[in-house]
Amino acid sequence: LRLQLALKQQNMDIVEKTLLRISDPREETYGQWLNLDQLAELIAPSDAEIARVEKWLNSYGISDVETRVTKDWLIAETTVEHVEQLLNCNIIYFHHKFRGDFIMRAEAGYEIPDELAEIIDFVVGLQGFPYSDWKPTTYEITSTRLGGNTPDTINSLYDITAPTTSCNCDASQAVVEFSSANYSPSDLQVFFQKYAPQLEGQTIENIYGNNNADGFTSVEANLDVQYIMAIGGFIPTDDYVEPINPNILDAFLNYCWTVGNQTNPPLVHSISWGEYGGSYNNQTVQRINNEFMLMGTRGITVSLASGDNGVGCGDKCQSQEFDFPSSPYVTMVGATGLNAQGKEVGASFSSGGFSGDYYRPTWQSDAVSSYLTSNSNNLPTINFDSNGRAYPDVSALGVSLEVVVRGRAQLVDGTSCSAPIFGGVISLLNAQRSLQGKSPLGFINPWIYQNPSMFTDITSGSNSYLCCEGFEAASGWDPVTGMGTPIYSEMLTRALALP
C-alpha cells in the first residue's frame, strides 16, 4: 500500500493573495511568477513538525519516507496491516455496483493522533467514492458521416498562422493521462502526415510515468497528443501518465504531487479527464484546489475539459450535477460545433453551470452576474447554486474532430477535443511572449474575463442533459460556452501588450 500523508500547507491565504496579484494584468507585479524554492518557503511545515510525524510512522514500522521540495507531503510504501494499526482502521475493498471496479477504502474512517492533527491534513485514498467519469464519443468515418474537422479547420476558424519551424524559445506544454492511457507514436506520425506535414518527425519529449507504445491505444491519449501538438506546433511536449486508479481524486493528487516536485514543469497542461458527480472528502477537494493554485503561482496554465454531461442531472431531475474538478484556478474549456453555415454553436454535451465545491471568484463576478440578470427569465428550473464557481471559462471546437487511432482516422466528439486545442493556443502565445523576453501567461482566468474582445461570442446552443433542462448560450459569458472561442490574432495583440 502506498501511504500518502497530506501535511497542512502553511500560508495558503498569502499564496492566494500573491496569485491574484501576479495574475492580474492591472497590477505592477503581473507575471512575476514564483519558483519552487519560493513556494517552499511559504507553505512548508517546519522541520520539527515533519520529524514528529516521521517518529510516529517509525513507531509502527514505517520507514523510508519520501517528501518533495515543498515538504507538504509524506509518502511511504508499506503494508495494509501497518496502515490499519497506524490509523486504527479496517481497510476493505468496496465494489462498484455498475462499473465493476474494486476500490480500497477505510470501512468506517480512520484516526490521526490528536497531537498530530494540527500537522496532518488527511490521508490520501482512504475516503470518498467515484461516480461516473466521462469519455469522448467516437464515430467511424462512413458514407453517412463524412470526414470532419482537422487542424486546418481550427487554424482557419481561430485565425491562427501555423508555425513552420521551432521558435527556440521558452515555451512548453503537456498532456495529462489517467488510467494508464497510452498514446501511439506511430499514429502521431500518421496524423502529422495526413493533417500537418510540417510537423512530421516531432515527438513527445518526456514521459512522466509509463506509456506502453505497444499496448492498447487510447483514443483519449491519441486525441490529446495529436491536437495539442498540431495547434501548439513545434512546442516541446511532455506526457504525464498516471496508472490505473478507480478513484479520480487519487489520480489528480498523484499528478499534482509529480508536478509539484518538478523544478521546471511544462508551462501549459491540458487535462481531458474528470468526473460527473461523486461523493468526495471535502479536505481532498480543497487540497486539489490548493495544488492548482500552487501551479498557477509558478506560471503554469491548466486547460481542463469542462465535461460531456451538459448541465448534469441530479436525483429526481431536480438539480444540476456539477463536474469534478471545477477549481477556480484552472481554465475550464467547453465545446462548440459547426452548424450548416459553418458558424460555431454550443455543443449540447458541453458541461457548464455552477460548482458546488467553490464560490464564484472575483474575476468572473461581473460577467456571471450580467448573465444571470440579463437572462433571469430564461434560466432552467432545476436547482443550481448561482453563487458557485461558474464554468466553462472559454470554449473551443469539440465536435467531429478527425483523430488517427490504430492507423485509421475516426471522428471524435467531446470537450476532450477542446482542452488540448485551447492549450495549444496558449502555448503559441507563450512562445511569442518568450521571444520578447516576457514571462509565460500562467494563470490566465483574470486576463480572460478582462478581455472579452479576444473571443468570438457564441450565442446559440444549450446543454440540457437527460431529464434536466439546461442553460442557453447568450451574449457575453454563459454556462454553455463561457466567454466564447479564441480569436488568436486578438489574443496575441493583448498578450504581447502585457508586461
Side-chain angles (χ1 to χ4, degrees):
L1 181 68
R2 189 170 191 248
L3 176 66
Q4 297 174 266
L5 301 180
L7 306 186
K8 291 187 177 179
Q9 296 165 321
Q10 309 300 303
N11 301 313
M12 287 308 297
D13 56 336
I14 296 176
V15 172
E16 184 173 30
K17 290 176 183 176
T18 301
L19 177 56
L20 295 182
R21 189 173 67 252
I22 61 180
S23 64
D24 188 338
R26 299 168 298 189
E27 296 283 346
E28 292 183 359
T29 52
Y30 175 79
Q32 297 178 16
W33 313 114
L34 305 186
N35 61 39
L36 196 55
D37 289 335
Q38 289 171 317
L39 270 184
E41 289 180 11
L42 279 172
I43 71 170
S46 69
D47 290 341
E49 290 173 323
I50 293 172
R52 286 168 59 192
V53 177
E54 289 182 335
K55 181 179 179 181
W56 171 59
L57 295 174
N58 293 341
S59 69
Y60 284 87
I62 301 172
S63 57
D64 298 324
V65 179
E66 179 185 0
T67 187
R68 67 179 186 182
V69 176
T70 47
K71 299 181 181 180
D72 50 343
W73 291 87
L74 293 179
I75 294 180
E77 298 294 335
T78 185
T79 66
V80 170
E81 181 180 8
H82 279 153
V83 173
E84 288 180 326
Q85 294 172 353
L86 179 79
L87 301 174
N88 191 26
C89 66
N90 183 34
I91 297 175
I92 64 173
Y93 278 106
F94 288 83
H95 179 243
H96 196 292
K97 181 178 180 181
F98 301 109
R99 288 167 43 170
D101 294 336
F102 286 88
I103 190 168
M104 190 181 293
R105 286 290 181 263
E107 184 177 18
Y110 60 85
E111 296 178 5
I112 298 291
D114 291 341
E115 62 272 19
L116 297 178
E118 61 184 18
I119 306 172
I120 299 173
D121 202 0
F122 62 93
V123 182
V124 175
L126 293 182
Q127 292 183 313
F129 295 94
Y131 181 62
S132 177
D133 56 358
W134 36 264
K135 297 181 176 70
T137 303
T138 60
Y139 308 88
E140 293 296 322
I141 298 176
T142 66
S143 59
T144 56
R145 185 162 178 137
L146 301 177
N149 299 308
T150 68
D152 283 346
T153 312
I154 296 159
N155 290 334
S156 175
L157 197 61
Y158 300 146
D159 196 23
I160 300 169
T161 300
T164 57
T165 186
S166 173
C167 70
N168 295 315
C169 57
D170 186 17
S172 54
Q173 59 190 11
V175 297
V176 180
E177 308 300 338
F178 293 164
S179 298
S180 293
N182 301 309
Y183 92 94
S184 166
S186 61
D187 281 346
L188 179 62
Q189 297 309 314
V190 173
F191 180 84
F192 287 156
Q193 292 164 16
K194 186 174 177 66
Y195 304 112
Q198 75 276 13
L199 292 171
E200 283 188 58
Q202 295 289 303
T203 61
I204 291 287
E205 295 210 351
N206 300 294
I207 297 175
Y208 305 108
N210 179 35
N211 182 80
N212 183 2
D214 298 320
F216 182 79
T217 299
S218 162
V219 174
E220 179 65 77
N222 268 18
L223 161 65
D224 293 342
V225 170
Q226 289 170 18
Y227 273 87
I228 199 170
M229 293 186 72
I231 304 306
F234 296 98
I235 304 294
T237 305
D238 294 346
D239 184 12
Y240 293 83
V241 187
E242 288 298 322
I244 294 174
N245 192 321
N247 188 8
I248 201 163
L249 273 79
D250 297 350
F252 268 105
L253 286 170
N254 289 338
Y255 153 69
C256 291
W257 153 273
T258 301
V259 176
N261 211 27
Q262 294 176 319
T263 303
N264 294 299
L267 296 172
V268 175
H269 293 225
S270 173
I271 307 176
S272 293
W273 298 79
E275 199 159 72
Y276 166 58
S279 172
Y280 307 128
N281 174 269
N282 185 61
Q283 289 173 303
T284 308
V285 170
Q286 297 305 321
R287 182 56 170 251
I288 291 173
N289 186 54
N290 284 359
E291 294 291 331
F292 283 131
M293 191 191 307
L294 296 175
M295 291 167 70
T297 63
R298 300 177 66 190
I300 297 171
T301 304
V302 179
S303 176
L304 177 81
S306 70
D308 297 344
N309 309 293
V311 72
C313 200
D315 291 340
K316 301 179 182 178
C317 308
Q318 296 297 309
S319 63
Q320 178 199 2
E321 188 73 78
F322 61 93
D323 285 77
F324 176 87
S326 55
S327 167
Y329 299 103
V330 302
T331 300
M332 298 187 72
V333 187
T336 61
L338 299 178
N339 63 17
Q341 291 73 43
K343 301 295 184 182
E344 285 185 280
V345 298
S348 60
F349 59 76
S350 182
S351 288
F354 299 84
S355 172
D357 284 335
Y358 310 104
Y359 288 114
R360 185 195 308 166
T362 56
W363 56 83
Q364 65 171 192
S365 183
D366 289 347
V368 176
S369 295
S370 177
Y371 169 81
L372 292 170
T373 300
S374 300
N375 297 276
S376 58
N377 295 325
N378 197 34
L379 296 174
T381 56
I382 60 170
N383 295 321
F384 62 91
D385 184 359
S386 62
N387 294 313
R389 185 266 202 261
Y391 69 98
D393 299 298
V394 295
S395 287
L397 194 61
V399 176
S400 294
L401 268 72
E402 294 194 26
V403 178
V404 173
V405 182
R406 291 178 283 279
R408 296 178 55 201
Q410 59 180 305
L411 302 180
V412 180
D413 294 351
T415 55
S416 293
C417 305
S418 311
I421 290 171
F422 190 79
V425 169
I426 300 302
S427 289
L428 293 179
L429 297 174
N430 278 343
Q432 294 304 308
R433 281 180 56 82
S434 174
L435 290 172
Q436 293 194 5
K438 296 184 176 183
S439 63
L441 289 169
F443 176 55
I444 59 174
N445 288 4
W447 181 60
I448 286 173
Y449 285 90
Q450 288 175 25
N451 292 278
S453 65
M454 299 191 304
F455 304 95
T456 298
D457 190 6
I458 309 301
T459 57
S460 297
S462 63
N463 62 355
S464 297
Y465 185 70
L466 299 178
C467 53
C468 286
E469 180 186 4
F471 296 97
E472 298 285 335
S475 295
W477 180 90
D478 61 68
V480 183
T481 61
M483 296 295 285
T485 57
I487 305 173
Y488 178 75
S489 56
E490 184 66 23
M491 295 182 79
L492 180 59
T493 298
R494 298 300 180 100
L496 294 181
L498 293 170

